[in-house]
Amino acid sequence: MKSKIDIINKLKKKLNAVILGHNYQSPEVQDISDFTGDSLELSKQASRTGADVIIFCGVDFMAETAKILSPGKKVILPVRNATCPMANMITPQQLRDLKAENPGAPAVTYVNTTAAVKAESDVCCTSSNAVRIVGTLEQDKVIFAPDRNLAHYVSTRVDKHIVSWPGYCYVHNSITALDAAGAREAHPDAVLMVHPECRPEVAVMADHVVSTGQMFSLVENSKAKSFIVGTEEGMLYPLGKRFPDREFFPIGPGFICKNMKKITLDKVIKSMKELEPEITVPPETIEKAASALGRMLELS
Ligand code: 13P
Ligand code: SF4
């Protein structure tokens, strides 16, 4: 009997498909992905792939981003309702209102937004380039939405007035200072690295505030033997796989993004056979959102 991996590989060839998987996907999904990475790395892969079909193992805003950057390709999200709640915390109208209240301030939106919100934005950013992108803008006042924690982190790194929005990631926002203190006490020699979606009181306790992709380079360039990982717990798998001689500890129990975990090998196979659910974005939205994403890629 053919294994699920054999079936996926055969379908991949037949469709000329590429499988992109976010660092938070389950180990089995990461293992069948052609590329794994953080949201910026996956956006770059999506923009330059020669494949006809992109199977995006992540959440919907990431698959939408792939479609905007590669509109001629078929983009499949194996589970229709794998969504990021934060991406739905600001609507296009709310962003337009914010812009009207702050005339002249450019709108920087986190990629964790809908395509329609990106279309209203001047430039997008991810957790790995937010500080750099805001820093390159000439204006002193900048709108940053929707993640209030990332906005706060950026405001500690750039000398600008940041107008933020009260969105948040329910996974990272539930990590508390008590979790960070408990992990430090349990692993006193470990380096504490946390994602910038964490609350300010957690970020301030960390040795490093980094995106999931930046966690790899941090470990690579560090002489430390152990690390406390302050992000969604899926991240422990690729870190352990790439650095088998180091130890990685979660910052606390149960920090799981349920939507990221909806994708399984069976769902990947079904979606490749049916070429559904397909991600579509209206052409006029693609055009406007592509300009904000393109500007991000230029500045990254
Ligand atoms: P990264 O940019 O680190 O991939 O983060 C995306 C995300 O959704 C974090 O919760
Ligand atoms: Fe969204 Fe948080 Fe899940 Fe990332 S971890 S996809 S920000 S809910």
Side-chain angles (χ1 to χ4, degrees):
M1 209 179 78
K2 269 199 186 137
S3 74
K4 291 178 187 175
I5 297 173
D6 289 340
I7 297 172
I8 290 172
N9 284 335
K10 211 168 157 201
L11 284 165
K12 220 159 52 177
K13 256 200 196 138
K14 185 177 150 205
L15 298 169
N16 186 26
V18 65
I19 304 183
L20 304 182
H22 189 265
N23 291 324
Y24 296 159
Q25 288 292 299
S26 66
E28 58 172 20
V29 173
Q30 293 200 32
D31 285 346
I32 54 97
S33 297
D34 296 298
F35 298 99
T36 51
D38 67 8
S39 16
L40 179 63
E41 291 159 344
L42 295 179
S43 308
K44 287 185 177 168
Q45 284 297 342
S47 70
R48 58 185 174 220
T49 178
D52 296 321
V53 179
I54 298 173
I55 308 292
F56 209 112
C57 298
V59 288
D60 52 4
F61 76 81
M62 296 179 178
E64 273 188 357
T65 299
K67 182 69 188 174
I68 295 162
L69 292 171
S70 284
K73 304 201 186 296
K74 204 177 251 303
V75 178
I76 305 293
L77 179 68
V79 175
R80 193 176 296 280
N81 64 354
T83 192
C84 168
M86 191 211 291
N88 297 308
M89 287 182 184
I90 188 162
T91 64
Q93 187 56 50
Q94 285 169 322
L95 184 59
R96 280 195 291 273
D97 291 346
L98 205 54
K99 280 166 44 177
E101 286 159 22
N102 297 279
V108 180
T109 55
Y110 195 24
V111 281
N112 300 42
T113 44
T114 60
V117 166
K118 288 183 180 77
E120 299 289 337
S121 313
D122 293 289
V123 56
C124 293
C125 73
T126 73
S127 55
S128 59
N129 59 20
V131 171
R132 178 206 287 251
I133 286 181
V134 173
T136 59
L137 299 171
E138 61 190 32
Q139 294 87 344
D140 291 330
K141 190 183 191 187
V142 174
I143 296 168
F144 190 100
D147 187 4
R148 67 181 178 211
N149 292 336
L150 180 58
H152 181 273
Y153 175 66
V154 170
S155 76
T156 64
R157 295 295 168 118
V158 295
D159 188 19
K160 287 186 193 292
H161 173 49
I162 308 288
V163 178
S164 65
W165 184 258
Y168 61 90
C169 160
Y170 76 96
V171 182
H172 290 91
N173 202 57
S174 63
I175 300 174
T176 64
L178 216 59
D179 291 314
R184 278 258 199 234
E185 206 180 312
H187 311 290
D189 298 327
V191 171
L192 173 58
M193 49 186 186
V194 308
H195 197 276
E197 287 175 15
C198 289
R199 291 166 179 264
E201 62 268 29
V202 173
V204 85
M205 292 171 73
D207 299 308
H208 303 276
V209 179
V210 277
S211 76
T212 58
Q214 290 167 334
M215 288 184 183
F216 292 102
S217 32
L218 177 68
V219 175
E220 186 145 49
N221 296 316
S222 166
K223 289 191 167 46
K225 285 269 163 257
S226 57
F227 300 82
I228 298 162
V229 183
T231 188
E232 208 271 350
E233 81 177 33
M235 192 58 205
L236 290 162
Y237 174 69
L239 283 170
K241 190 172 161 184
R242 176 138 158 219
F243 303 105
D245 57 330
R246 317 283 185 103
E247 267 192 299
F248 299 97
F249 306 104
I251 196 166
F255 297 118
I256 296 173
C257 175
K258 292 191 205 85
N259 288 293
M260 282 280 183
K261 303 297 191 272
K262 284 179 180 167
I263 297 175
T264 60
L265 292 191
D266 287 331
K267 301 269 192 219
V268 171
I269 292 172
K270 188 168 185 287
S271 71
M272 289 178 91
K273 284 184 175 163
E274 296 174 357
L275 284 180
E276 281 285 345
E278 184 177 358
I279 296 295
T280 54
V281 180
E284 58 283 8
T285 309
I286 289 194
E287 202 179 308
K288 289 197 211 152
S291 138
L293 280 168
R295 210 166 157 210
M296 169 184 90
L297 292 176
E298 258 166 46
L299 296 172
S300 298

PDB file of all heavy atoms in Angstrom, residues 15 22 49 57 86 122 136 179 198 249 252 297:
ATOM      1  N   LEU A  15       0.787  17.723 -10.668  1.00  0.00           N
ATOM      2  CA  LEU A  15       0.219  19.086 -10.693  1.00  0.00           C
ATOM      3  C   LEU A  15       1.276  20.166 -10.916  1.00  0.00           C
ATOM      4  O   LEU A  15       0.937  21.332 -11.068  1.00  0.00           O
ATOM      5  CB  LEU A  15      -0.468  19.387  -9.349  1.00  0.00           C
ATOM      6  CG  LEU A  15      -1.644  18.521  -8.928  1.00  0.00           C
ATOM      7  CD1 LEU A  15      -2.020  18.796  -7.477  1.00  0.00           C
ATOM      8  CD2 LEU A  15      -2.843  18.818  -9.829  1.00  0.00           C
ATOM      9  N   HIS A  22       4.124  26.656   7.091  1.00  0.00           N
ATOM     10  CA  HIS A  22       4.589  27.578   8.142  1.00  0.00           C
ATOM     11  C   HIS A  22       5.235  26.788   9.283  1.00  0.00           C
ATOM     12  O   HIS A  22       4.912  25.609   9.505  1.00  0.00           O
ATOM     13  CB  HIS A  22       3.408  28.428   8.668  1.00  0.00           C
ATOM     14  CG  HIS A  22       3.874  29.530   9.579  1.00  0.00           C
ATOM     15  ND1 HIS A  22       3.903  29.393  10.950  1.00  0.00           N
ATOM     16  CD2 HIS A  22       4.376  30.777   9.313  1.00  0.00           C
ATOM     17  CE1 HIS A  22       4.381  30.519  11.482  1.00  0.00           C
ATOM     18  NE2 HIS A  22       4.672  31.366  10.503  1.00  0.00           N
ATOM     19  N   THR A  49       8.268  31.216  -7.045  1.00  0.00           N
ATOM     20  CA  THR A  49       8.201  29.800  -7.422  1.00  0.00           C
ATOM     21  C   THR A  49       7.835  29.614  -8.906  1.00  0.00           C
ATOM     22  O   THR A  49       7.076  30.406  -9.464  1.00  0.00           O
ATOM     23  CB  THR A  49       7.185  29.037  -6.534  1.00  0.00           C
ATOM     24  OG1 THR A  49       7.150  27.681  -6.983  1.00  0.00           O
ATOM     25  CG2 THR A  49       5.781  29.608  -6.637  1.00  0.00           C
ATOM     26  N   CYS A  57       0.233  25.437   3.379  1.00  0.00           N
ATOM     27  CA  CYS A  57      -0.092  24.871   4.696  1.00  0.00           C
ATOM     28  C   CYS A  57       0.210  25.941   5.742  1.00  0.00           C
ATOM     29  O   CYS A  57       1.357  26.101   6.194  1.00  0.00           O
ATOM     30  CB  CYS A  57       0.704  23.595   4.947  1.00  0.00           C
ATOM     31  SG  CYS A  57       0.305  22.317   3.743  1.00  0.00           S
ATOM     32  N   MET A  86      -6.610  37.190  14.453  1.00  0.00           N
ATOM     33  CA  MET A  86      -6.088  38.565  14.463  1.00  0.00           C
ATOM     34  C   MET A  86      -6.345  39.273  13.129  1.00  0.00           C
ATOM     35  O   MET A  86      -6.631  40.473  13.086  1.00  0.00           O
ATOM     36  CB  MET A  86      -4.588  38.578  14.753  1.00  0.00           C
ATOM     37  CG  MET A  86      -4.088  39.982  15.035  1.00  0.00           C
ATOM     38  SD  MET A  86      -2.411  40.298  14.536  1.00  0.00           S
ATOM     39  CE  MET A  86      -1.500  39.310  15.651  1.00  0.00           C
ATOM     40  N   ASP A 122      -0.372  51.398   2.958  1.00  0.00           N
ATOM     41  CA  ASP A 122       0.758  51.938   2.190  1.00  0.00           C
ATOM     42  C   ASP A 122       1.849  50.887   2.043  1.00  0.00           C
ATOM     43  O   ASP A 122       2.498  50.796   1.016  1.00  0.00           O
ATOM     44  CB  ASP A 122       1.316  53.182   2.895  1.00  0.00           C
ATOM     45  CG  ASP A 122       0.307  54.312   2.853  1.00  0.00           C
ATOM     46  OD1 ASP A 122       0.100  54.845   1.759  1.00  0.00           O
ATOM     47  OD2 ASP A 122      -0.316  54.606   3.890  1.00  0.00           O
ATOM     48  N   THR A 136      12.222  53.008   8.061  1.00  0.00           N
ATOM     49  CA  THR A 136      12.607  53.613   6.774  1.00  0.00           C
ATOM     50  C   THR A 136      11.613  54.699   6.318  1.00  0.00           C
ATOM     51  O   THR A 136      11.929  55.451   5.402  1.00  0.00           O
ATOM     52  CB  THR A 136      12.659  52.564   5.632  1.00  0.00           C
ATOM     53  OG1 THR A 136      11.383  51.967   5.517  1.00  0.00           O
ATOM     54  CG2 THR A 136      13.718  51.504   5.863  1.00  0.00           C
ATOM     55  N   ASP A 179       4.540  33.125  33.182  1.00  0.00           N
ATOM     56  CA  ASP A 179       5.056  32.009  32.358  1.00  0.00           C
ATOM     57  C   ASP A 179       6.547  32.214  32.097  1.00  0.00           C
ATOM     58  O   ASP A 179       7.347  31.279  32.222  1.00  0.00           O
ATOM     59  CB  ASP A 179       4.333  31.943  31.001  1.00  0.00           C
ATOM     60  CG  ASP A 179       2.878  31.518  31.128  1.00  0.00           C
ATOM     61  OD1 ASP A 179       2.610  30.544  31.850  1.00  0.00           O
ATOM     62  OD2 ASP A 179       2.025  32.167  30.502  1.00  0.00           O
ATOM     63  N   CYS A 198       4.096  38.838  21.534  1.00  0.00           N
ATOM     64  CA  CYS A 198       3.886  38.682  22.980  1.00  0.00           C
ATOM     65  C   CYS A 198       3.634  40.041  23.614  1.00  0.00           C
ATOM     66  O   CYS A 198       4.035  41.082  23.082  1.00  0.00           O
ATOM     67  CB  CYS A 198       5.117  38.047  23.628  1.00  0.00           C
ATOM     68  SG  CYS A 198       5.333  36.317  23.199  1.00  0.00           S
ATOM     69  N   PHE A 249      12.976  24.495  25.181  1.00  0.00           N
ATOM     70  CA  PHE A 249      11.878  24.328  26.136  1.00  0.00           C
ATOM     71  C   PHE A 249      10.750  25.301  25.788  1.00  0.00           C
ATOM     72  O   PHE A 249      11.027  26.471  25.485  1.00  0.00           O
ATOM     73  CB  PHE A 249      12.360  24.641  27.558  1.00  0.00           C
ATOM     74  CG  PHE A 249      13.573  23.847  27.967  1.00  0.00           C
ATOM     75  CD1 PHE A 249      14.830  24.452  28.008  1.00  0.00           C
ATOM     76  CD2 PHE A 249      13.473  22.497  28.304  1.00  0.00           C
ATOM     77  CE1 PHE A 249      15.957  23.735  28.370  1.00  0.00           C
ATOM     78  CE2 PHE A 249      14.597  21.771  28.672  1.00  0.00           C
ATOM     79  CZ  PHE A 249      15.844  22.391  28.703  1.00  0.00           C
ATOM     80  N   GLY A 252       5.775  27.730  28.240  1.00  0.00           N
ATOM     81  CA  GLY A 252       4.705  27.264  29.123  1.00  0.00           C
ATOM     82  C   GLY A 252       3.885  26.238  28.365  1.00  0.00           C
ATOM     83  O   GLY A 252       4.135  25.993  27.180  1.00  0.00           O
ATOM     84  N   LEU A 297       8.456  43.882   0.256  1.00  0.00           N
ATOM     85  CA  LEU A 297       9.533  43.011  -0.226  1.00  0.00           C
ATOM     86  C   LEU A 297      10.746  43.842  -0.657  1.00  0.00           C
ATOM     87  O   LEU A 297      11.880  43.463  -0.437  1.00  0.00           O
ATOM     88  CB  LEU A 297       9.038  42.106  -1.365  1.00  0.00           C
ATOM     89  CG  LEU A 297       8.009  41.043  -0.935  1.00  0.00           C
ATOM     90  CD1 LEU A 297       7.506  40.254  -2.142  1.00  0.00           C
ATOM     91  CD2 LEU A 297       8.561  40.089   0.114  1.00  0.00           C
TER      92      LEU A 297
END
